[in-house]
Each structure stands twice: as C-alpha cells, then as structure tokens.
Amino acid sequence: MTVDGDTQGSRIRALFENAEDDVSIIAPFIKVDALRSLLEVFPSGTHLRCVTRWLPKEVAAGISDPEILDILEKRGNFSLSLVDRLHAKLYIAGDRCLVGSANVTHAGLGERGDSNNIEILVDTTIDDPGVVQTLGEISKTERPATRDIAQITRRLADSLSASVSSTAAIEILWSPVSRRPQDAYLLYTQPPSGFTTAADRTLLNDLAKANLQPGLEEDKFRSAIRSLLQAIPIAENFLKITEDTTLTFADTHSYFKEIAGDQFSANELWLAFVEWMAYFFNDQVMRQEITEIALRRAQILG
C-alpha cells in the first residue's frame, strides 16, 4: 500500500517511480512489508540491486527480515547481497541518490502510525565523493545473499531466548554457556530446523548471541569466536600473561557471579568458559584438572 504525504518513504517512492534502468536500495535493516510498499512503484522492467545485512540478534529483535529474499525472488530482476558492517543508507535511481539515516522499515520511512523515527535523507548524485567512496567499500566486501544463508540466519535468530526483543539487547557482552565448543562450527553451518535436544538448544543460543554473520569459513569463524572470547575481561587479562600460570574458579568467581542469571550459575558459566578457551585458544592455554578444573596459561609446543 503506497502511503501519501511528506514522509521519507514518499520521497524514496518519488525517486523510484520514474526510474528507467537500475535502482539500488542499500540499508542495513530491511523489513518485508516496508520493502513491499516501495516495490509497488517500481517500473516492471527496472533491475533492483538490494544490499543489506543479516545478523541473528537483529533478526531476533525484529528489525531485519531475511524473508525479503522471498518477495525479491517473486518479483525477479534483482540482486541481493550482504555487507556485514553496513551502516549506510542509500537509495539510487539513475544519477540521483538519497543518502541519510532512513532504513527500510515503516518507522524509518516515517509511516508507522504510533511511532516514527526522526530521519534525514539528503538529495545528491552518485558522483558525490562520499557516495563514490561508500559504494566502493560496499563493492569490496559484499557477497551474495543465498537461500541457505537466509535460512541459517532465521534459525539462529529463532534459537534466541525471548529476552532478545529489542535493539537494547544487541550490545550485551557475550559469554558462552554450552560446554560443547567442538560442535559449534557444525551447528553454525547446519542449525537444525526440527526437534533439537536441550544441549543443542544451549549451543545454538550461544551462537545466536555471538551474532556472527552467516556463511563464514571455518578459519574465519574460529577467528571471530577467539575475538569474542578475548573481549571477556578475565580472558583478556589471562591471555596477556606470559609466564606459566593457572586460572581457577576462585579467581573468576566475582565476575561470573555478576553475569550469572536464573538459568545458569556462576560455576556453570566458568566451566563453559574453560571449555571454550581451551578449544579455541589451544595454542596458548590448556584445560587441567588436579584438585579442581583450571586453565593453565603456558607456551604450548606443537
């Protein structure tokens, strides 16, 4: 349904409705209904280039839809790609371009009755130096959005707990709960769509909260998980130590007690932390158990 009036959505439609050749929609958050409302004005022969990002937490929070692939396939004459660090919003037809803050959501387009965002779109051209630079960066990093990636993103998003319901939940520091890091990459690439065990659900929840872009090769997946683990303060400090030393639950109790919730105790979070550190930093630390489970920081020879 086309919405009349002076909205960002109406400005984008005015840009697109007389387009003769290619048009582009570039925005990190694209919702199905909002995209459909823009497609209504597209001339049938116009090719649409769509660039967005799909991250599990954002999909779980309801601010982005992998299902836009369905309506684009139904329309045809399109390309859809992903840029994982995308923040820019650009709408291009011919040599004209609207650049600003508006995503393809009803709030972003200014067409949600109860609450609309305060947005800006500036009319410029594709020759604008900032636009040229942005499009160049996008071209370097974009990759095709496939059916497999859409399905994996949705399954990871659906595995998140109901507590992830808004953008406020996106920046929570990640800490794993599952004790099965050795199975992480398999479930990341092949999240089950039917029945799952409690252990699988816990691991899937860890992966979804990690908020990794779908489709990473295993080496890049490992690197991303290492970065997330290293961001945990106790891990960061432990990895900086150069001499042979150990880390015990007593050393970390105050930290894990602070982040523990109703479902998992501080001790359970510690045990999971040990497994993930020993598995993903096996070149620097090892799990050991003498009188208690601990992490040993040592130079490990291959």
Side-chain angles (χ1 to χ4, degrees):
M1 177 178 65
T2 301
V3 179
D4 296 324
D6 187 17
T7 65
Q8 304 299 356
S10 65
R11 294 184 65 200
I12 296 170
R13 292 186 191 89
L15 174 69
F16 287 158
E17 62 186 356
N18 296 317
E20 297 180 357
D21 298 311
D22 294 352
V23 298
S24 297
I25 294 176
I26 301 173
F29 304 150
I30 303 179
K31 296 285 290 178
V32 164
D33 289 344
L35 178 60
R36 187 180 287 117
S37 75
L38 297 183
L39 292 181
E40 289 179 352
V41 305
F42 275 49
S44 58
T46 303
H47 178 268
L48 169 61
R49 179 193 182 200
C50 192
V51 183
T52 189
R53 78 183 191 208
W54 293 338
L55 295 176
K57 280 190 180 180
E58 295 168 351
V59 174
I63 56 178
S64 188
D65 291 338
E67 291 77 15
I68 63 171
L69 180 57
D70 298 332
I71 62 172
L72 290 174
E73 286 180 340
K74 184 177 181 179
R75 177 189 185 270
N77 198 16
F78 78 98
S79 66
L80 176 61
S81 60
L82 302 175
V83 174
D84 304 313
R85 295 184 297 107
L86 182 66
H87 186 70
K89 295 88 175 175
L90 297 89
Y91 303 90
I92 303 170
D95 62 357
R96 288 188 58 207
C97 182
L98 292 173
V99 180
S101 64
N103 280 294
V104 186
T105 65
H106 285 310
L109 298 180
E111 296 167 353
R112 192 172 76 183
D114 57 338
S115 175
N116 292 316
N117 299 337
I118 297 174
E119 307 283 4
I120 184 172
L121 287 175
V122 176
D123 200 340
T124 184
T125 71
I126 59 172
D127 296 324
D128 181 287
V131 173
V132 171
Q133 180 178 359
T134 300
L135 293 176
E137 290 298 315
I138 288 171
S139 295
K140 291 177 185 177
T141 58
E142 66 182 325
R143 67 186 194 283
T146 66
R147 174 62 54 186
D148 283 346
I149 290 177
Q151 291 175 344
I152 288 171
T153 306
R154 173 53 66 190
R155 290 173 189 170
L156 289 173
D158 288 347
S159 74
L160 282 171
S161 64
S163 63
V164 182
S165 58
S166 69
T167 54
I170 291 174
E171 301 301 333
I172 295 174
L173 186 65
W174 182 77
S175 185
V177 175
S178 168
R179 299 185 203 175
R180 295 167 52 206
Q182 69 276 10
D183 297 326
Y185 187 68
L186 177 62
L187 260 67
Y188 164 78
T189 55
Q190 302 176 38
S193 58
F195 171 79
T196 54
T197 65
D200 279 351
R201 288 194 296 272
T202 300
L203 180 52
L204 283 169
N205 198 261
D206 282 341
L207 293 170
K209 286 182 177 179
N211 207 35
L212 303 181
Q213 58 268 39
L216 292 176
E217 298 294 333
E218 187 167 7
D219 60 336
K220 293 184 178 179
F221 173 82
R222 288 186 63 91
S223 178
I225 293 294
R226 282 169 65 103
S227 295
L228 288 171
L229 288 169
Q230 198 162 3
I232 298 172
I234 56 173
E236 181 182 17
N237 294 332
F238 186 55
L239 291 169
K240 288 179 180 178
I241 299 171
T242 56
E243 65 269 18
D244 190 343
T245 189
T246 59
L247 187 71
T248 68
F249 181 49
D251 300 322
T252 63
H253 178 264
S254 60
Y255 175 78
F256 285 115
K257 184 178 179 181
E258 182 178 349
I259 67 171
D262 296 334
Q263 290 184 303
F264 299 97
S265 68
N267 186 60
E268 288 172 318
L269 293 176
W270 156 250
L271 294 175
F273 172 78
V274 168
E275 298 297 338
W276 285 73
M277 288 293 293
Y279 185 79
F280 283 98
F281 284 95
N282 60 342
D283 57 331
Q284 299 177 57
V285 303
M286 64 179 69
R287 180 187 186 276
Q288 71 176 34
E289 185 173 357
I290 303 175
T291 59
E292 63 177 319
I293 293 174
L295 276 177
R296 182 184 175 197
R297 178 75 170 96
Q299 183 67 37
I300 299 175
L301 301 177

